[in-house]
Amino acid sequence: MSPLHVVILAAGQGSRMKSALPKVLHPVAGKAMLHHVIETARQLGAEKIHTVIGHGADQVRASLDDATVNWVLQTEQLGTGHAVAQALPDLPDDARVLILYGDVPLTRKDTLEAMVGDLDDRNLALLTVDMDNPHGYGRIVRDTDGQVQAIVEQKDATAEQHEIKEVNTGILAVSARHLKSWLPTLSNSNAQGEYYLTDIIAMAVDHGLSVTVSQPLNPFEVQGVNNRLQLAELERWYQRQQAEWLMTEGATLADPARIDVRGEMTIGNDLWIDINVVFEGRVSLGSNVSIGPGCVIKDATIADGAEIKAHSLIDGATIGANAQIGPFARLRPGTELAANTKVGNFVETKKAVVGEGSKINHLSYVGDASLGRNVNVGAGTITCNYDGVNKYQTELGDGVFVGSNTSLVAPVTVGAEATIGAGSTITRNVSGSELAVARGKQRNIAGWERPKKA
Ligand code: UD1
Ligand code: CA
């Protein structure tokens, strides 16, 4: 089959966003709208993706490396037909060309695959939707046999044509050969003085092509974004889909309307996810994982049976089976917790490798550290890993007991089964099974009188 080339129109201003950020860079589910479209084009197996840019071109270009897309500059926005024409020199004659839009981010791959699947020189594939209120859209004009004849824009349509409920989504596919012969002949003598891409429909009919019409499963697939209200509508639709997917796969959601997924997830069965949980990046959750309200979980792998309690932040961490995390824990990148570990409230970990059954239950900072099995870190323990210039490592052997309010001044190693007295500042290594106490000796002064006011 002939190669597929995708042309994405993204040169418009998007003034109704009222934003310094180009419209197509506004995110849906944490990813720029344009990047959603490019991702879909890639999944379709496009040989090349041409993106037509104009307003905010430098910013848009900087958002992706030049290897992923062929940037096509449209210096003046003279209409959708003119925009596609800018890409013509980069399209091989034998290509099938699919036209997409940088501000229409959520079209399903299957919908587009059906359009380009059996496209050849003899047809043009058009994606339409029926709308109760079609105002503003190009209308699909059909003859008495129901064959598509043309598209007329809102401003050029007759009163009779305004009654047509079937509208143009803008998405179409046709061979490059035809685009190359038709686009240069477009005229801008219409109500808006623009070169309309939609005029090629009538040309296709004139040249004896058949117009193959299909419709998306859901109108949100072709919903464009002109303002922040529409952006929010699309975001909520997208999130509803994610919630439905999670429930289908085996997660119970306290409220499907109060969960956001900004990335990709894999999950096991019988999960419980409470309200206001945000997932970002790549997250993998095992079976019987429970996540409390208000958690943010990013780029994490959480094994079977782990429980993440309310308001915990997990970023770049691996959590073992049946671990208990939070409430109010903050796990930062490089945290690797083995099975049956506990990290409790107001604990921050970073690059901390923690062995099976170990506990850091309250108010601690454990960074650049490795802990063996069954280590107990008392409340208020701090690894002093930074001297202002370099970072150093703390190592605690199996079965170490660290008393509360201990400072472990790294680099420092504590041998297996050693005990550290509460309130110690440990600056020297401790050997296995030793007791280390490093704090001021207590003095009790009898008969002490408090100072009195003069
Ligand atoms: C277009 C269609 C209309 C359809 C509607 C669906 C035409 C003439 N009309 O109308 O039939 O119902 O989309 O939303 O195609 N763009 C450029 N360069 C330009 C002009 C536009 O890159 O010179 C981009 C814009 O950034 C935008 C998209 O093309 O993303 C659509 O352009 P717009 O002017 O909004 O077309 P509509 O009037 O909405
Ligand atoms: Ca538009």
Side-chain angles (χ1 to χ4, degrees):
M1 199 180 291
S2 61
L4 177 67
H5 280 233
V6 173
V7 177
I8 303 173
L9 304 195
Q13 181 154 31
S15 52
R16 277 176 283 167
M17 296 300 282
K18 308 234 160 120
S19 177
L21 188 68
K23 177 165 77 174
V24 295
L25 295 185
H26 280 261
V28 168
K31 185 157 90 179
M33 289 194 278
L34 176 61
H35 298 183
H36 279 276
V37 182
I38 287 169
E39 178 64 31
T40 307
R42 235 191 249 139
Q43 286 172 7
L44 287 168
E47 183 180 86
K48 212 161 194 184
I49 301 167
H50 312 269
T51 303
V52 181
I53 50 177
H55 279 105
D58 291 343
Q59 252 176 297
V60 176
R61 201 194 283 259
S63 77
L64 282 171
D65 65 77
D66 292 354
T68 10
V69 277
N70 172 37
W71 299 110
V72 176
L73 193 63
Q74 186 195 26
T75 43
E76 261 187 303
Q77 280 69 60
L78 302 178
T80 49
H82 179 262
V84 175
Q86 308 312 299
L88 289 180
D90 299 334
L91 300 174
D93 285 353
D94 68 330
R96 291 170 296 149
V97 182
L98 172 67
I99 314 292
L100 299 175
Y101 299 82
D103 57 0
V104 181
L106 299 183
T107 321
R108 284 166 52 251
K109 175 182 154 237
D110 294 0
T111 300
L112 300 171
E113 222 155 42
M115 290 180 68
V116 297
D118 44 28
L119 188 77
D120 59 31
D121 278 358
R122 286 160 303 179
N123 68 323
L124 179 151
L126 191 62
L127 192 64
T128 73
V129 277
D130 296 317
M131 284 189 148
D132 290 337
N133 176 14
H135 184 85
Y137 291 90
R139 307 298 208 283
I140 308 298
V141 179
R142 292 176 183 262
D143 65 13
T144 46
D145 296 335
Q147 298 300 311
V148 172
Q149 295 301 301
I151 297 178
V152 277
E153 293 303 299
Q154 169 77 29
K155 288 183 180 156
D156 301 288
T158 63
E160 197 185 342
Q161 289 167 335
H162 282 151
E163 297 303 312
I164 300 171
K165 305 268 190 238
E166 187 186 9
V167 307
N168 175 31
T169 64
I171 295 173
L172 61 84
V174 68
S175 78
R177 195 172 285 117
H178 291 315
L179 286 176
K180 287 182 179 192
S181 80
W182 301 336
L183 290 182
T185 73
L186 285 179
S187 127
N188 67 349
S189 44
N190 50 50
Q192 300 185 81
E194 286 181 10
Y195 297 93
Y196 291 160
L197 176 63
T198 45
D199 284 353
I200 70 168
I201 309 304
M203 293 179 181
V205 173
D206 277 354
H207 286 82
L209 275 76
S210 67
V211 179
T212 322
V213 174
S214 55
Q215 298 209 324
L217 279 184
N218 189 300
F220 277 115
E221 286 188 51
V222 293
Q223 174 69 58
V225 170
N226 292 309
N227 56 43
R228 293 179 201 245
L229 255 118
Q230 291 169 333
L231 184 67
E233 280 166 14
L234 269 196
E235 177 78 35
R236 281 310 107 203
W237 179 67
Y238 179 89
Q239 293 303 344
R240 177 71 204 188
Q241 308 271 102
Q242 302 303 304
E244 284 177 14
W245 179 83
L246 285 167
M247 292 186 286
T248 309
E249 291 296 304
T252 295
L253 306 183
D255 182 355
R258 283 182 291 172
I259 177 172
D260 277 24
V261 179
R262 302 173 192 152
E264 274 150 48
M265 295 182 69
T266 59
I267 66 167
N269 292 339
D270 294 307
L271 291 90
W272 161 254
I273 303 175
D274 214 322
I275 59 166
N276 295 337
V277 174
V278 178
F279 296 101
E280 293 178 41
R282 283 182 191 278
V283 173
S284 162
L285 306 177
S287 290
N288 298 298
V289 165
S290 159
I291 299 177
C295 290
V296 178
I297 298 180
K298 179 181 178 189
D299 297 323
T301 300
I302 302 179
D304 294 352
E307 184 180 3
I308 317 296
K309 294 172 195 164
H311 302 290
S312 294
L313 262 61
I314 293 171
D315 179 4
T318 305
I319 297 173
N322 302 311
Q324 303 260 328
I325 311 299
F328 300 102
R330 181 179 182 205
L331 310 190
R332 293 169 51 202
T335 297
E336 291 174 32
L337 308 179
N340 302 311
T341 47
K342 286 189 180 180
V343 173
N345 39 255
F346 309 109
V347 172
E348 175 181 347
T349 63
K350 184 215 74 172
K351 285 189 187 159
V353 179
V354 178
E356 192 170 340
S358 291
K359 298 175 192 167
I360 315 167
N361 268 334
H362 330 267
L363 300 156
S364 290
Y365 171 63
V366 176
D368 300 308
S370 90
L371 280 63
R373 296 156 75 97
N374 299 315
V375 172
N376 188 85
V377 174
T381 296
I382 305 294
T383 53
C384 309
N385 60 329
Y386 186 49
D387 62 7
V389 183
N390 296 304
K391 300 264 168 77
Y392 299 98
Q393 198 71 16
T394 297
E395 280 171 39
L396 307 179
D398 291 346
V400 163
F401 182 98
V402 180
S404 295
N405 199 30
T406 291
S407 299
L408 297 160
V409 181
V412 70
T413 297
V414 179
E417 303 296 331
T419 302
I420 307 230
S424 292
T425 297
I426 300 297
T427 54
R428 286 191 289 125
N429 291 346
V430 180
S431 296
S433 303
E434 284 181 342
L435 167 67
V437 186
R439 62 183 181 227
K441 254 205 156 75
Q442 181 171 333
R443 286 194 300 152
N444 292 3
I445 297 166
W448 166 254
E449 282 187 24
R450 292 186 188 171
K452 292 194 177 67
K453 256 208 166 105

